[in-house]
Amino acid sequence: MKNESIILSQKVAAAIDRLPNPSWVLKSKSATMELFQKVARHPDVFPQIGSYKAALCGLQVIANTESKSIAEIFNDFFDDFDLRDLIRSAASGRDFGLAVMEVTEWMEYKGLTVPGKIELCPPELFFFDKQRRLRLSSDKFREGIDVDKSYPNKFIICQNEATLLNPYGTGLLDVAYWIAVGLNGNFEFLMQFVEEDGRDRWVGKYQNGATQKEIDDLLNMMLQVRNNGVAAIPQGMDVEPHNMTGRSSTNDLYRNTDEMLRRKIEKLWTGTDLTMQVAGKGGYSSSESGLTISEDALEDGKTLVLSAIRQIAGIICRLNNLPELPSFLIQLPRSLSKTIAETDRIYFDMGLRPTRELFIKRGYAEEDFTVDETAAPRTGKTDFAATTEDYEPILSSFEAFRKSVKKKD
């Protein structure tokens, strides 16, 4: 019956010119993307998704264009807009492969009509046709609704690693499905281990020549002894517990399997599992490597957010007939690691002069610094140590305080 339902759905999809989702998980389960909503709520998956989105919520949006007034409007708008919800919605494209957002409210901002509220839509409500146009499922129209044609300037779509043949993108929840199933199965195994392997075995003894009914009665008595602790045993029969051994090996198997699967989940979202193996690995090296790889993983989320920002800006320009669409820079707040700082110092000690582009890459806003092009390059090692003169004001203040304190007898 399951194979027949799959074949039927494929025939219907062909009739309405639907491009099926290439996910093998959805095909094998004959399910929609709603299945991945359950995976996202898995106890080991949900924290990884939340941590990844929280790391992106500090993103800053900077608009650049030849028209300073237009750039200022967009910078002010995104400063006032609730970017946190928008960032989390756009980042969902990494989880499901695509994220579809709808403008549900409009408002007036500095004389312009702009989106006031943008909400994330359930991805299972949308599909692509064979021309890769996004369509909304409908009970009235079997072929769905072309959202761009029917609702222009209303929907925003962010796709993660989409291709010509797969506009649905690649979702991490699709990849993590079988890992989550394994974690669930391992949890069930633990419950069975506690229930069965973790308790003592009871052995009953009966006399030679006992009938099958007498043996069955003895088994029922053993169940009473195990569950209730008391039972009436006929003379000639005996019940005694046998201690279980070798439990530690079974317990270790559970722990090792559980840790392996959770590491796979963590590596999918953060690009590293080093946070689970800091002990004994060198605290600085593990955290530093984990930080670097995580920053690389965040680039996927930044790309999705940038796509959403550009589409929102395009909607604003079309609705208000603005002459120029700005370019946008998405960056995380300034964060320099010890390795980056030491590398920069080596270059500066060689006599190289930092440029404006370097400071922008490091996360500084342009208005926060100036580069003196007339200054001569510094040569030789930079000495950051304090001199004796630097300590003189502190020493004199301390000396005055010392003299003011009365000596105890």
Side-chain angles (χ1 to χ4, degrees), residues 18 20 35 46 91 142-143 152 169 199 219 225 263 273 328 347 399 401:
R18 180 193 292 251
L35 177 66
F46 183 82
R142 190 177 64 176
E143 69 277 7
R199 64 187 175 194
L219 291 174
V225 171
R263 281 186 175 183
D273 63 349
F328 291 92
Y347 287 139
E399 184 66 20
F401 173 75

Side-chain angles (χ1 to χ4, degrees), residues 98-169:
L98 78 160
V100 181
M101 293 165 279
E102 179 184 358
V103 181
T104 56
E105 292 182 11
W106 300 91
M107 67 179 186
E108 199 78 13
Y109 184 82
K110 294 186 177 182
L112 302 177
T113 300
V114 297
K117 188 175 183 180
I118 300 176
E119 297 183 79
L120 181 66
C121 303
E124 60 268 17
L125 299 180
F126 298 86
F127 66 92
F128 290 92
D129 60 23
K130 292 186 178 179
Q131 283 71 44
R132 298 183 301 281
R133 292 191 298 259
L134 183 66
R135 290 182 175 271
L136 174 64
S137 300
S138 172
D139 295 334
K140 296 182 179 179
F141 306 100
R142 190 177 64 176
E143 69 277 7
I145 301 173
D146 188 334
V147 296
D148 288 335
K149 183 178 180 180
S150 302
Y151 306 104
N153 300 319
K154 187 170 179 62
F155 286 93
I156 299 165
I157 178 171
C158 299
Q159 298 156 280
N160 183 54
E161 298 183 5
T163 63
L164 183 64
L165 299 178
N166 178 24
Y168 292 93

Side-chain angles (χ1 to χ4, degrees), residues 171-186:
L172 297 187
L173 292 173
D174 187 7
V175 181
Y177 175 80
W178 292 113
I179 303 178
V181 170
L183 285 166
N184 283 337
N186 205 35

Side-chain angles (χ1 to χ4, degrees), residues 4-279:
E4 291 178 1
S5 64
I6 295 176
I7 295 173
L8 180 61
S9 64
Q10 291 175 347
K11 290 181 178 179
V12 173
I16 64 175
D17 200 32
R18 180 193 292 251
L19 189 65
N21 193 313
S23 168
W24 285 106
V25 172
L26 299 183
K27 288 181 180 179
S28 64
K29 296 295 180 181
S30 188
T32 66
M33 294 183 70
E34 188 177 5
L35 177 66
F36 297 144
Q37 302 279 7
K38 298 179 181 179
V39 182
R41 292 192 293 271
H42 189 280
D44 290 311
V45 176
F46 183 82
Q48 297 297 333
I49 296 177
S51 298
Y52 183 84
K53 291 181 178 180
L56 286 174
C57 284
L59 285 174
Q60 301 169 345
V61 180
I62 302 175
N64 293 310
T65 181
E66 293 182 0
S67 175
K68 297 298 182 182
S69 59
I70 294 180
E72 183 179 355
I73 289 175
F74 279 98
N75 283 325
D76 293 343
F77 169 71
F78 285 114
D79 284 343
D80 297 336
F81 192 76
D82 187 4
L83 276 180
R84 185 180 181 86
D85 286 343
L86 176 65
I87 290 171
R88 296 181 69 88
S89 297
S92 297
R94 192 169 183 258
D95 305 328
F96 294 92
L98 78 160
V100 181
M101 293 165 279
E102 179 184 358
V103 181
T104 56
E105 292 182 11
W106 300 91
M107 67 179 186
E108 199 78 13
Y109 184 82
K110 294 186 177 182
L112 302 177
T113 300
V114 297
K117 188 175 183 180
I118 300 176
E119 297 183 79
L120 181 66
C121 303
E124 60 268 17
L125 299 180
F126 298 86
F127 66 92
F128 290 92
D129 60 23
K130 292 186 178 179
Q131 283 71 44
R132 298 183 301 281
R133 292 191 298 259
L134 183 66
R135 290 182 175 271
L136 174 64
S137 300
S138 172
D139 295 334
K140 296 182 179 179
F141 306 100
R142 190 177 64 176
E143 69 277 7
I145 301 173
D146 188 334
V147 296
D148 288 335
K149 183 178 180 180
S150 302
Y151 306 104
N153 300 319
K154 187 170 179 62
F155 286 93
I156 299 165
I157 178 171
C158 299
Q159 298 156 280
N160 183 54
E161 298 183 5
T163 63
L164 183 64
L165 299 178
N166 178 24
Y168 292 93
T170 302
L172 297 187
L173 292 173
D174 187 7
V175 181
Y177 175 80
W178 292 113
I179 303 178
V181 170
L183 285 166
N184 283 337
N186 205 35
F187 183 76
E188 292 174 2
F189 166 76
L190 174 63
M191 295 296 101
Q192 185 178 4
F193 163 71
V194 173
E195 181 68 19
E196 300 294 341
D197 296 341
R199 64 187 175 194
D200 296 332
R201 293 287 188 258
W202 289 83
V203 177
K205 298 179 181 179
Y206 56 87
Q207 292 181 348
N208 293 332
T211 65
Q212 185 62 43
K213 182 179 183 305
E214 290 175 334
I215 297 175
D216 293 339
D217 290 342
L218 176 60
L219 291 174
N220 291 330
M221 295 172 190
M222 292 169 58
L223 288 175
Q224 292 182 12
V225 171
R226 188 192 68 175
N227 296 333
N228 303 324
V230 294
I233 305 296
Q235 188 175 5
M237 293 185 180
D238 188 19
V239 175
E240 61 181 8
H242 280 231
N243 294 331
M244 286 294 295
T245 58
R247 297 174 184 172
S248 60
S249 60
T250 307
N251 198 20
D252 288 342
L253 175 62
Y254 163 75
R255 284 202 308 266
N256 294 338
T257 304
D258 184 73
E259 181 181 358
M260 176 191 68
L261 294 174
R262 286 191 294 114
R263 281 186 175 183
K264 289 182 180 295
I265 291 292
E266 183 174 12
K267 196 167 185 178
L268 269 176
W269 266 268
T270 66
T272 177
D273 63 349
L274 289 176
T275 56
M276 299 182 64
Q277 46 181 309
V278 172

Side-chain angles (χ1 to χ4, degrees), residues 266 272-294:
E266 183 174 12
T272 177
D273 63 349
L274 289 176
T275 56
M276 299 182 64
Q277 46 181 309
V278 172
K281 300 290 184 178
Y284 173 75
S285 61
S286 295
S287 61
E288 179 66 17
S289 299
L291 176 64
T292 303
I293 299 176
S294 296

